[in-house]
Amino acid sequence: AIIYIVNGQEELFWLILLIKLPISLSNVYNSRRCLQLIPDFARPENHSIVYGLKVSAWSALNNIGNHIDKLLLAIFLNPAALASLVLAERFPEIIKKYIQSLRALLLPSLAKQSTYSPTLHRKLFIISLILSISILVFIVCILPWLFPLIFTTAYKDSILYSQLLCGTLILGQ
């Protein structure tokens, strides 16, 4: 958001602030509420502050590494190319969120398994195969039809990019 102020686009800064402010206030409220649940006489665990600082530093570096490409693309691409890229990334991001939700759903049942058995391997293989085939059907049949319907035909160039990015989700399983 600060980039927009530097570039003289203050109205976009206020728009982003308006969107992010309620989330931030909710986080502050929930954090304060959780802190009130901790009794005053509670003592911190040994080395927890040092550990927390190290984790925060590595997490910050991870976030910078994950989002530096978006910042560089915003700086060096023209708005039309950037819009095309953002739209191409949208469907793969949605599919990736669903895959992550599925993994979170399956994790408790997988954690109860004592060993990695052939039965478990077969079940995971079937789930992965169904998911891969579903993504492939989406890429080939649905995405070329759905993309222009949602984003208009002006962004037809993004369909191939979106298909390729969705294809990487099949490889990443």
Side-chain angles (χ1 to χ4, degrees):
I2 295 173
I3 293 172
Y4 293 119
I5 290 178
V6 172
N7 290 337
Q9 299 172 337
E10 292 182 26
E11 60 276 354
L12 290 176
F13 169 77
W14 293 112
L15 178 65
I16 291 173
L17 185 67
L18 182 67
I19 293 169
K20 298 293 184 178
L21 188 63
I23 298 169
S24 301
L25 292 176
S26 172
N27 287 341
V28 169
Y29 170 76
N30 288 327
S31 296
R32 290 187 56 93
R33 201 172 101 210
C34 288
L35 285 174
Q36 290 174 350
L37 296 175
I38 300 172
D40 292 335
F41 56 86
R43 297 186 62 182
E45 296 179 18
N46 291 337
H47 308 292
S48 63
I49 294 176
V50 174
Y51 174 76
L53 289 173
K54 287 181 183 178
V55 168
S56 296
W58 285 111
S59 178
L61 289 174
N62 183 37
N63 283 336
I64 290 170
N66 286 337
H67 299 291
I68 192 74
D69 59 335
K70 294 176 185 172
L71 177 66
L72 292 174
L73 287 172
I75 292 171
F76 292 116
L77 283 182
N78 64 8
L82 186 61
S84 181
L85 178 68
V86 168
L87 293 180
E89 287 181 335
R90 190 67 193 131
F91 283 112
E93 288 296 322
I94 292 170
I95 294 171
K96 188 168 85 172
K97 295 288 182 189
Y98 281 118
I99 292 172
Q100 289 172 345
S101 298
L102 179 65
R103 286 181 182 161
L105 184 68
L106 292 175
L107 190 62
S109 63
L110 293 175
K112 293 178 184 174
Q113 303 290 327
S114 59
T115 60
Y116 187 75
S117 65
T119 307
L120 179 63
H121 177 74
R122 189 172 57 250
K123 287 179 184 177
L124 290 175
F125 177 76
I126 290 171
I127 290 170
S128 179
L129 184 65
I130 290 171
L131 196 58
S132 297
I133 290 172
S134 301
I135 292 172
L136 192 60
V137 167
F138 177 77
I139 290 171
V140 174
C141 299
I142 299 172
L143 189 64
W145 170 79
L146 186 64
F147 207 91
L149 186 68
I150 294 175
F151 301 119
T152 73
T153 56
Y155 295 105
K156 261 190 170 175
D157 303 349
S158 301
I159 295 173
L160 178 64
Y161 301 134
S162 188
Q163 288 174 322
L164 292 173
L165 289 172
C166 285
T168 62
L169 296 174
I170 294 173
L171 298 175
Q173 293 190 56

